[in-house]
Amino acid sequence: MAKRQKVPAGKPDYVKELSKAGIRVTRPRRVIIDILTETDDHPDAMEIFRRAVQVDKSISLSTVYRTMKLLEGFGAIHRHAFGSGPARFENAAGEHHDHLIDLDTGDVIEFKSDRIEALQAEIAQALGYDIVHHRLELYGRKKASG
Amino acid sequence: MAKRQKVPAGKPDYVKELSKAGIRVTRPRRVIIDILTETDDHPDAMEIFRRAVQVDKSISLSTVYRTMKLLEGFGAIHRHAFGSGPARFENAAGEHHDHLIDLDTGDVIEFKSDRIEALQAEIAQALGYDIVHHRLELYGRKKASG
DNA sequence: GGATCAGTTGACAATCATTTGCAAATCAAC
DNA sequence: GTTGATTTGCAAATGATTGTCAACTGATCC
């Protein structure tokens, strides 16, 4: 028997976190979590479902949605709504960042700006609020200059 | 007979703009446009429909949706998706601004920051993009301080 | 290793927001 | 007023997501 599989170094072990929190780590959940931790794009529920079915034919779309909700509540993933269309999900591990969406290709580029973050906090404070979370999305087109 | 009603000064006359563009200004559209130009909140389609029905009982929700799409394409209104739930609309007249959403009350506070706008443009440029539009929403709670 | 049982699942119906098809109504031009 | 393309209301369709519920299954206890 091979050694028990380990989560790649540097990535948080959500499986362990979940079981520690008294939430059952079932096969479907494990499959979905693996997909989420191994991808670096922003798949929607249907896409996660497609990938999950390739691993375990019996997984249902309902379970994908339920697991997304579970993981979101857990802070393990983030839910996005780029443009219109289905929600898209992203592993919450790693640093916070915002998104630039290429209007022509749909590509999502991640970026981070401490200065913008600071300004946001400043504005919220001035208005008498504490920020719980925010959403910053830039929608643009590649510069023609090329 | 009273003088012909005029659009409040400073607000663009979408009715005129539409007819100039060869788009029919029908009664339902006029009613909906009036609602949009007279409100300063961010109603969703159902809310606009409710208000429209008070003016003209025969207006349908479909027409509200169709008119929203029409006006959006025209740049007359902006479509928002605060949190989850139905899209919410806002008259595009007036200066650009972003939104702070009160997570407890659902209140929407408008704000504007030239510095953030500038930083956004800077970031997009650095990534080789021109911004077509953006979305910045802060979700927060009133400071406990009070 | 097996029994236990609350948590979880898959299948499918239901819901919510939005869009569409179509016949009837309506607007702007003549 | 007549006309003809646009627009409307209605109802049915769609797409994304959630709810229901009987069947299943994973962690715990023996």
Side-chain angles (χ1 to χ4, degrees):
Chain A
M1 275 267 171
K3 272 197 202 156
R4 176 175 284 246
Q5 196 90 34
K6 268 183 49 187
V7 169
K11 293 199 176 178
D13 187 346
Y14 289 124
V15 171
K16 188 176 284 180
E17 277 190 35
L18 286 179
S19 64
K20 203 177 293 179
I23 289 171
R24 273 205 208 152
V25 181
T26 61
R27 175 155 169 70
R29 284 183 180 158
R30 213 184 299 261
V31 170
I32 292 168
I33 289 170
D34 282 354
I35 289 168
L36 257 8
T37 54
E38 277 158 29
T39 191
D40 60 350
D41 58 358
H42 306 71
D44 59 27
M46 185 56 70
E47 176 59 26
I48 294 167
F49 172 63
R50 277 188 218 104
R51 297 181 195 176
V53 164
Q54 295 187 302
V55 179
D56 179 345
K57 252 182 113 40
S58 75
I59 287 174
S60 75
L61 181 56
S62 299
T63 295
V64 172
Y65 275 109
R66 279 189 288 237
T67 303
M68 291 306 107
K69 190 162 281 193
L70 178 75
L71 294 175
E72 190 186 8
F74 235 73
I77 60 169
H78 290 143
R79 175 189 302 261
H80 298 294
F82 302 139
S84 56
R88 296 170 62 177
F89 303 94
E90 170 181 33
N91 186 350
E95 274 194 297
H96 163 75
H97 56 255
D98 295 306
H99 299 93
L100 167 66
I101 295 93
D102 185 316
L103 285 168
D104 296 315
T105 67
D107 289 351
V108 176
I109 298 163
E110 303 179 348
F111 68 86
K112 182 174 184 333
S113 168
D114 291 327
R115 295 168 67 198
I116 288 185
E117 305 282 322
L119 283 172
Q120 288 175 3
E122 201 177 289
I123 288 166
Q125 289 299 308
L127 293 170
Y129 279 82
D130 291 320
I131 295 180
V132 174
H133 70 275
H134 73 251
R135 177 149 123 188
L136 170 57
E137 291 152 19
L138 309 181
Y139 295 81
R141 301 209 144 84
K142 274 227 168 72
K143 275 189 284 192
S145 67
Chain B
M1 274 265 175
K3 272 199 204 153
R4 173 175 285 244
Q5 196 88 35
K6 267 184 49 188
V7 169
K11 293 198 174 178
D13 186 345
Y14 290 122
V15 170
K16 187 176 287 179
E17 278 190 33
L18 286 180
S19 64
K20 203 177 296 178
I23 289 171
R24 272 203 209 156
V25 181
T26 60
R27 177 156 168 69
R29 285 182 180 159
R30 212 184 301 260
V31 169
I32 292 167
I33 289 171
D34 282 354
I35 290 168
L36 257 7
T37 55
E38 275 158 29
T39 191
D40 58 351
D41 58 359
H42 306 73
D44 59 28
M46 184 55 71
E47 176 60 25
I48 294 167
F49 172 63
R50 278 189 216 102
R51 296 181 196 176
V53 163
Q54 294 187 303
V55 179
D56 179 344
K57 251 182 112 44
S58 76
I59 286 174
S60 75
L61 181 56
S62 299
T63 295
V64 173
Y65 276 109
R66 279 189 284 235
T67 303
M68 290 307 106
K69 189 162 282 193
L70 178 75
L71 293 176
E72 191 186 8
F74 235 72
I77 61 169
H78 290 144
R79 175 190 301 262
H80 298 294
F82 301 139
S84 55
R88 295 169 64 176
F89 303 94
E90 170 181 32
N91 185 350
E95 274 195 295
H96 163 76
H97 55 256
D98 296 305
H99 300 92
L100 166 67
I101 295 94
D102 185 315
L103 285 169
D104 297 315
T105 67
D107 288 352
V108 176
I109 298 163
E110 302 179 349
F111 68 87
K112 182 175 183 331
S113 168
D114 291 328
R115 294 168 67 199
I116 287 184
E117 305 282 320
L119 283 171
Q120 288 175 4
E122 203 176 289
I123 287 165
Q125 288 300 308
L127 293 170
Y129 279 81
D130 290 319
I131 295 180
V132 174
H133 70 275
H134 73 252
R135 177 150 120 186
L136 170 58
E137 292 152 19
L138 308 181
Y139 295 82
R141 301 210 144 84
K142 273 227 169 70
K143 276 190 283 193
S145 67

